[in-house]
Amino acid sequence: MRTVPLCFLGWRSAAALLAALLLAHPALAGEPITIAPGMALGEPALQALVRQELAASRDGDWQVRIVQPALPLGNPSAAPVLVTLTADQPAPGERGGQRLTGWLAVQDGTGHVGRLRMVAVLDEMVTVPVPVEALPAGALVTPERFRMVPWPVQRLDPDALRSLTELDGMEAVRRLPAGRPVLRNGLQPPRMVRRGEPVRISFVRGGLRLSVTGTALNDGALGATVRASNLSSARHVQGRVVAAGEIVIGEDS
């Protein structure tokens, strides 16, 4: 990625842009931060500075997107400087999330202070399950086939599942892409009887139980009512799914 030298931006802008070049150790929110010389300003460093400023006043997990200044920018300083971020209260953004504005103030070794405008967008994050690998339609869904990842609330469908317990034991209705949240209508209870496959048809009345082989005419989960064709008589019957590949008809169905 191309780096723009700070020397082309004027001393005040250059000094302020050094603010995001954080050292490995964080400082407390609102306190000056010592920054290292000679390092390019990238978005992760400036994001860390914003998070530090918000740490004392904001709960939960937030994603920080830097809008201004444009990054990355070079750093010609040969000495450490001190930086402080002064931010306004977040306000609603145009496309969801919240907009944060403020100023980066940098003091160099000679005591000079420069300022630069900073604009960021804050997205509240929630943790949701996503497939580790794409799952085909009809796949049985189990927790080990998923991982939990942070996702912006503003870009999360209201119908998206948010826990592994909600999807455990379900069946994929359609292909589930890897790394994407899963919608409720993308899952269904697992089919115990499948259309076109063999099915045991059990007739139950009192203590009498008779079974014949048939072919399922439609899909059905446990407890669902499905139709089947009796292979012996070619008659169509209707029964309740009681187990994998078995339906029951009669007074107890």
Side-chain angles (χ1 to χ4, degrees), residues 161-173:
L161 299 178
R162 300 198 182 190
S163 70
L164 291 172
T165 56
E166 294 180 276
L167 53 80
D168 189 17
M170 301 292 278
E171 179 184 319
V173 175

Side-chain angles (χ1 to χ4, degrees), residues 201-211 240 242 246-253:
I201 304 172
S202 297
F203 176 79
V204 177
R205 176 167 295 174
L208 177 65
R209 185 184 187 94
L210 300 174
S211 297
R240 178 171 53 90
V242 296
E246 182 179 3
I247 67 172
V248 169
I249 62 175
E251 62 179 19
D252 297 333
S253 62

Side-chain angles (χ1 to χ4, degrees), residues 193 199 216-221 224-228 237-241 247:
V193 170
V199 62
L217 300 178
N218 56 285
D219 297 333
T225 298
V226 301
R227 297 173 63 247
V237 296
Q238 183 170 283
R240 178 171 53 90
V241 179
I247 67 172

